[in-house]
Coordinates of all heavy atoms in Angstrom, one line a residue:
L18 N 43.7 -8.2 -17.2 CA 45.0 -8.2 -17.8 C 46.1 -8.9 -17.0 O 46.9 -9.7 -17.6 CB 45.4 -6.7 -18.1 CG 46.8 -6.5 -18.7 CD1 46.9 -7.2 -20.0 CD2 47.1 -5.0 -18.8
Q41 N 54.8 -34.6 -30.3 CA 55.4 -34.2 -31.6 C 55.1 -35.2 -32.7 O 54.9 -34.8 -33.9 CB 57.0 -34.1 -31.4 CG 57.4 -33.0 -30.5 CD 56.8 -31.6 -31.0 OE1 57.2 -31.1 -32.0 NE2 55.9 -31.1 -30.2
L88 N 35.1 -29.6 -16.3 CA 36.2 -28.8 -15.6 C 37.1 -29.8 -14.8 O 38.3 -29.7 -14.9 CB 35.6 -27.8 -14.7 CG 34.9 -26.6 -15.3 CD1 34.4 -25.7 -14.3 CD2 35.9 -25.8 -16.3
Y90 N 37.6 -33.0 -15.2 CA 38.5 -33.9 -16.1 C 39.6 -33.1 -16.7 O 40.8 -33.6 -16.7 CB 37.6 -34.5 -17.2 CG 38.4 -35.3 -18.2 CD1 38.8 -36.6 -17.9 CD2 38.7 -34.7 -19.4 CE1 39.6 -37.3 -18.8 CE2 39.4 -35.4 -20.4 CZ 39.9 -36.7 -20.1 OH 40.6 -37.4 -21.0
V94 N 43.7 -33.9 -15.8 CA 44.7 -34.2 -16.8 C 45.9 -33.2 -16.8 O 47.1 -33.6 -16.8 CB 44.1 -34.2 -18.2 CG1 45.2 -34.4 -19.3 CG2 43.1 -35.3 -18.4
K126 N 32.0 -20.6 -4.9 CA 32.1 -19.1 -5.2 C 33.3 -18.5 -4.5 O 33.3 -17.3 -4.2 CB 30.8 -18.4 -5.0 CG 29.7 -18.9 -5.8 CD 28.4 -18.0 -5.6 CE 27.2 -18.6 -6.3 NZ 26.0 -17.8 -6.1
S186 N 24.0 -18.8 -11.8 CA 23.9 -20.1 -11.3 C 25.2 -20.5 -10.5 O 25.3 -21.6 -10.0 CB 23.8 -21.1 -12.5 OG 22.6 -20.9 -13.2
P211 N 43.6 -17.0 -26.6 CA 44.8 -16.2 -27.0 C 46.1 -16.8 -26.5 O 47.2 -16.7 -27.2 CB 44.5 -14.9 -26.3 CG 43.0 -14.8 -26.2 CD 42.6 -16.3 -25.9
M242 N 39.0 -2.7 -23.1 CA 38.5 -2.3 -21.8 C 37.7 -1.0 -21.9 O 36.7 -0.8 -21.2 CB 39.7 -2.1 -20.8 CG 40.3 -3.4 -20.3 SD 41.5 -3.2 -19.0 CE 42.8 -2.2 -19.8
Q250 N 31.6 -6.7 -24.6 CA 32.4 -6.8 -25.8 C 32.9 -8.3 -26.0 O 33.3 -8.9 -25.0 CB 33.6 -5.9 -25.8 CG 33.3 -4.4 -25.8 CD 32.7 -4.0 -27.1 OE1 33.3 -4.3 -28.2 NE2 31.6 -3.3 -27.1

Side-chain angles (χ1 to χ4, degrees):
L18 176 57
Q41 292 306 292
L88 291 177
Y90 174 76
V94 172
K126 301 181 183 180
S186 305
M242 289 189 295
Q250 293 292 314

